[in-house]
């Protein structure tokens, strides 16, 4: 069997034409898994990635250096009002290179919701069941063990248990972890089982050709089919496009550019006229955090990020239609020093007060399960510029308040002498506040910085072009051989880390793509 190759921006010729069976756009959990599955079926695959190919030997655990390599826009991209930092990959392996390696099976309640409310077929718990064990073996997934609990994880576990909140060790995709604590900068040891060290090299061993530094620009259409893709070469040194085009001729094109990228690509290709919901119903899993100052050293940036998590509040609870609590996951936080410095509140003496005790700063983070009726959207203007909108509706704000309050309680229960919120203003607590104090805080845009690491939606899966973009076979409505295989097809957020769901869905998509290509 012929082994594939890795190519980069220096190797392309202007006007070069490449013939293949399938073009896969994007190399994260969706694209890499899809490429691997198609390669296993004997198909010739071209895996196209806009970012660079940075193998683990180029990683140096430097926050600023690695942000330039594995984080799109160096993590400076935000929603249109500046409220939320949009975290996604721009590199071979996508966001899996900087993710925390949390590997949750999709909750059955979410798959059933998508089936019963949104009409998704072939993605029920029994349909995905065969893939979980396969993925867990492929990625060495196991529950986090005691040696990998840093001090913040230990404190988080003990405090949530004393509060009576159900939790568990988080399933982790790791092998021979060295406890460096630089997971968000990519693992220089290759221990974190990202797509960079798992599905991509396995696909290449089966003949997949990898094309990095290529920006997918334009679908080549032929009636109700696509016949290929036009791409622009990106100069890796300057990150600017070169005056070079590469053409792919293919029997099928599969879009796997991620929750922010896939709908953006289709909008730039004029598909908004075909699909009224394209770019709509965007979930981003907002992740507010709380910091705390302890008497003892925490050094939160060592060992694995989240060894223990609380699922007790994953689903929101209501009484007589009124919100009670929940709608989020809870975990210990892990921030490296430079990122922590940016999120510690205040200026001058206020900021110095915290940073002079940096090793004693710990904290928590929550992942909000996006409210179905308050989802965001992606807009592309006439010049191709993208804007991402995410309104914090009334229910989302109530969830935000409850999540923040519970994080404060966790840290005080864990022994913190002082708890404070991120942002420009200083919001400090020397004892647990009353819930009403948190409810009175004004959640204005940009005041309490948070990230959005888990985008979903924009190319919602469903039964018709009137209310969705792709069908239950991952095929774009009205097209014979155009598919989408990433988190953008989810009708709502997953309510847990979506990486495993993306990979399982991509295995289903691969069967449908192979059936079309033949």
């Amino acid at each position: 069997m012929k082994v594939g190759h890795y190519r980069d921006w220096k190797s392309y010729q202007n006007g070069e034409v490449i013939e293949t069976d399938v073009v896969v756009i994007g190399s994260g959990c969706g694209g890499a898994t899809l490429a691997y599955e198609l390669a296993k079926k004997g198909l010739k695959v071209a895996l196209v990635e806009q970012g660079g190919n940075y193998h683990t030997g180029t990683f140096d655990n430097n926050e600023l250096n690695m942000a330039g390599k594995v984080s799109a826009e160096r993590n400076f991209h935000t929603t249109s009002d500046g409220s939320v930092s949009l975290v996604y990959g721009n590199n071979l392996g996508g966001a899996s290179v900087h993710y925390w390696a949390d590997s949750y099976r999709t909750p059955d309640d979410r798959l059933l919701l998508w089936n019963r409310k949104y009409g998704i077929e072939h993605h029920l718990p029994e349909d995905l069941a065969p893939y979980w064990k396969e993925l867990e073996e492929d990625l060495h997934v196991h529950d986090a063990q005691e040696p990998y609990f840093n001090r913040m994880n230990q404190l988080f576990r003990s405090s949530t248990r004393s509060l009576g909140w159900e939790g568990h060790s988080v399933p982790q995709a790791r092998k021979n972890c060295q406890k460096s604590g630089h997971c968000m900068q990519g693992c220089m040891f290759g221990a974190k089982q990202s797509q960079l060290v798992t599905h991509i090299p396995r696909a290449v061993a089966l003949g997949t050709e990898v094309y990095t530094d290529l920006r997918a620009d334009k679908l080549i259409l032929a009636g109700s089919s696509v016949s290929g893709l036009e791409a622009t070469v990106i100069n890796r040194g300057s990150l600017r496009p070169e005056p070079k085009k590469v053409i792919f001729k293919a029997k099928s094109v599969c879009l796997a550019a991620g929750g922010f990228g896939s709908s953006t690509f289709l909008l730039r290709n004029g598909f908004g006229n075909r699909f009224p919901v394209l770019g709509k119903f965007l979930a981003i899993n907002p992740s507010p955090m709380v910091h705390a100052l302890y008497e003892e050293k925490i050094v939160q940036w060592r060992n694995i990020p989240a060894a223990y998590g609380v699922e007790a509040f994953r689903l929101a609870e209501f009484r007589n239609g009124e919100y009670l609590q929940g709608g989020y996951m809870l975990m210990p936080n892990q921030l490296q020093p430079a990122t922590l410095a940016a999120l510690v509140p205040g200026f001058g003496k206020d900021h110095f007060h915290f940073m002079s005790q940096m090793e004693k700063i710990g904290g928590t983070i929550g992942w909000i399960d996006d409210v179905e009726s308050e989802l965001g959207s992606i807009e592309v203007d006439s010049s191709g510029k993208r804007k991402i909108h995410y309104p914090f509706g009334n229910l989302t704000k109530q969830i935000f308040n409850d999540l923040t309050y519970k994080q404060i309680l966790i840290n005080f229960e864990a022994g913190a002498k002082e708890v404070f919120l991120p942002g420009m203003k200083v919001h400090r607590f020397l004892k647990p506040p009353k819930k009403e104090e948190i409810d009175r805080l004004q959640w204005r845009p940009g005041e309490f910085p948070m990230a959005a690491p888990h985008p979903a939606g924009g190319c919602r899966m469903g039964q018709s072009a009137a209310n969705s973009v792709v069908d239950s076979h991952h095929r774009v409505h009205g097209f014979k051989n155009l598919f989408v295989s990433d988190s953008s097809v989810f009708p709502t957020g997953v309510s847990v880390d979506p990486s495993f769901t993306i990979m399982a869905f991509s295995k289903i998509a691969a069967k449908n793509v192979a059936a079309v290509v033949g």
Side-chain angles (χ1 to χ4, degrees), residues 44-66:
K44 186 177 181 182
V45 181
L47 185 61
V48 178
E49 168 59 51
Q50 176 174 314
N53 178 7
Y54 301 108
H55 60 81
T56 57
T58 68
F59 296 173
D60 62 4
N61 285 350
N62 182 293
E63 288 181 72
L64 297 180
N65 292 346
M66 294 311 300

Side-chain angles (χ1 to χ4, degrees), residues 448-508:
F448 297 97
M450 69 191 82
H454 304 142
C459 296
R460 175 179 273 184
M461 183 179 287
Q463 296 189 333
S464 76
N467 57 22
S468 61
V469 177
V470 303
D471 62 22
S472 293
H473 292 92
H474 290 255
R475 184 164 40 206
V476 175
H477 291 300
F479 285 84
K480 297 177 181 178
N481 60 346
L482 177 60
F483 296 82
V484 182
S485 183
D486 56 28
S487 62
S488 70
V489 306
F490 302 157
T492 69
V494 185
S495 84
V496 295
D497 184 294
S499 57
F500 242 38
T501 306
I502 297 168
M503 287 184 263
F505 270 45
S506 294
K507 287 177 177 284
I508 294 174

Side-chain angles (χ1 to χ4, degrees), residues 23 70 162 178 217 227 259 291 387 390 399 436 454 471 508:
V23 172
V70 304
S162 65
Q178 301 300 302
D217 283 336
S227 59
H291 305 309
K387 288 186 178 180
Y390 193 85
I399 294 174
E436 292 76 17
H454 304 142
D471 62 22
I508 294 174

Side-chain angles (χ1 to χ4, degrees), residues 273-287:
N273 297 325
R274 299 171 181 259
F275 303 105
V277 300
L278 178 61
K280 305 296 194 298
F281 309 117
L282 177 71
I284 63 174
N285 208 191
S287 52

Side-chain angles (χ1 to χ4, degrees), residues 77-82 84 86 88 259-261 263-264 267-268 278-280 282 284 376-391:
H77 192 192
T78 70
T79 49
S80 57
D81 63 1
V84 184
L86 305 177
Y88 56 105
F260 295 130
S263 52
T264 300
L267 285 167
R268 287 173 176 163
L278 178 61
K280 305 296 194 298
L282 177 71
I284 63 174
S377 63
I378 295 177
E379 170 193 358
V380 172
D381 64 21
S382 57
S383 67
K385 185 177 180 180
R386 177 179 66 187
K387 288 186 178 180
I388 295 177
H389 307 285
Y390 193 85

